[in-house]
Amino acid sequence: MAHAVISVDHLNAHYGEQQVLFDVNLQVQQGEIMVIMGGSGSGKTTLLKHLLALQKPTAGQVHIDGLPIATASAKELKVLRRKMGVAFQGGALLSSLTVGENIRLPLEHNSNLDRQTIDIMVRMKLELMNLAGFENLMPSELSGGMLKRAGLARAVVMDPKILFFDEPSAGLDPVTSVELDELILKLRSAMNMTMLIVTHELQSAFKIADRIMVLFDGKVATVGTVEEIKNSPDERIQNLIHRRPRDEITDGDAYLKRLVSGGGR
């Protein structure tokens, strides 16, 4: 059995007194693409923050590459983060730096490589992302799809073992979204990277995922392959897949009766 690079065990999380994650369990294997899905407010972003050690759980454990991150020292987390890449939703490039300068940053701050070697590594990642020749442009000169690819190039410039990706297809047109999906699969194939991707885009999730975890109201509804998710008997999951509202009206007479009587369901 493959080694679990990401392990979440009985994770609970709160914002103040409000509990937002309930007994979440998840295992992500080496080289796997795990997609986290769920509606707005389901807990996807909160889970991602815990995986990145940006928040500490109320209860439970998160292990990344074997390290219990809630109790890890600052030094241990620094070493771990060199193995991790994070691609943010909007690219999150520094607007005052060129594309090339943005991509160089992780290498300049976290390695002892000489300038020539860094230049070569930056060019390699730009070519991988189909951005060769764009290193001297400013982020404001890039399209939405190019910003995503530039942010991804920065996330993988240090050849991380694990990549976290937040909403890769958000705000992109369908063609650009498909191109980004292909790029994600190409990256996994070329670098044998473990990926955890948060998305609400069904078509993208079904194309790139090895397995999908679906969250509802901070609780795990299911974890399964694409086919298992598509064929799930859970009505909430089918509503999510078919974009049906949670309170779809199926009985018009009953609905009218509730309105007239003012009663509950």
Side-chain angles (χ1 to χ4, degrees):
M1 185 176 178
H3 169 58
V5 178
I6 300 171
S7 179
V8 181
D9 299 294
H10 303 289
L11 180 69
N12 290 300
H14 288 73
Y15 288 122
E17 295 184 0
Q18 180 73 34
Q19 187 165 355
V20 290
L21 291 178
F22 300 80
D23 197 34
V24 174
N25 293 279
L26 178 66
Q27 304 284 316
V28 184
Q29 308 300 326
Q30 171 64 41
E32 184 176 26
I33 297 179
M34 173 66 71
V35 168
I36 309 296
M37 292 187 65
S40 178
S42 62
K44 303 188 301 294
T45 301
T46 299
L47 177 59
L48 183 59
K49 287 178 179 178
H50 281 79
L51 295 175
L52 295 174
L54 298 176
Q55 290 181 207
K56 290 193 175 184
T58 311
Q61 281 279 0
V62 175
H63 288 78
I64 305 292
D65 202 29
L67 182 70
I69 60 176
T71 55
S73 67
K75 184 177 180 180
E76 288 173 322
L77 286 174
K78 185 175 181 180
V79 172
L80 175 65
R81 283 177 172 141
R82 289 175 181 167
K83 304 177 188 178
M84 296 162 51
V86 184
F88 298 97
Q89 184 171 332
L93 299 183
L94 297 175
S95 60
S96 59
L97 301 179
T98 66
V99 170
E101 288 169 342
N102 267 283
I103 297 170
R104 298 172 65 89
L105 277 178
L107 291 170
E108 291 175 339
H109 286 275
N110 297 292
S111 78
N112 296 316
L113 298 173
D114 60 79
R115 183 177 181 84
Q116 185 178 17
T117 303
I118 290 177
D119 287 342
I120 292 170
M121 292 183 71
V122 169
R123 283 197 293 271
M124 286 174 62
K125 292 306 187 291
L126 283 167
E127 288 189 9
L128 184 63
M129 302 298 164
N130 300 317
L131 287 172
F134 292 93
E135 59 263 40
N136 293 321
L137 292 184
M138 303 302 290
S140 60
E141 298 176 289
L142 302 183
S143 67
M146 292 170 74
L147 274 173
K148 293 270 190 182
R149 299 203 306 273
L152 188 52
R154 185 180 61 187
V156 303
V157 73
M158 291 186 65
D159 298 331
K161 184 174 183 178
I162 310 164
L163 176 68
F164 296 93
F165 209 150
D166 186 22
E167 296 286 3
S169 301
L172 300 181
D173 64 81
V175 173
T176 305
S177 180
V178 168
E179 290 173 349
L180 190 58
D181 290 341
E182 294 288 352
L183 185 55
I184 288 170
L185 292 171
K186 180 181 173 183
L187 257 182
R188 194 265 296 272
S189 177
M191 304 175 73
N192 191 33
M193 223 179 272
T194 303
M195 299 187 186
L196 187 137
I197 299 173
V198 172
T199 185
H200 67 278
E201 296 288 345
L202 284 165
Q203 198 168 2
S204 176
F206 289 161
K207 180 170 184 176
I208 64 179
D210 292 312
R211 289 189 300 146
I212 297 172
M213 181 171 86
V214 183
L215 284 172
F216 285 111
D217 299 322
K219 300 173 184 176
V220 178
T222 191
V223 180
T225 64
V226 171
E227 286 306 309
E228 287 170 340
I229 297 300
K230 286 182 177 179
N231 296 315
S232 171
D234 190 323
E235 185 179 1
R236 298 169 303 169
I237 293 174
Q238 291 304 318
N239 288 345
L240 186 69
I241 291 172
H242 297 290
R243 300 183 181 277
R244 292 196 292 255
R246 280 177 286 187
D247 294 317
E248 185 172 72
I249 299 162
T250 55
D251 187 336
D253 290 338
Y255 176 63
L256 182 59
K257 186 177 180 180
R258 284 207 313 272
L259 290 179
V260 172
S261 66
R265 300 185 178 193

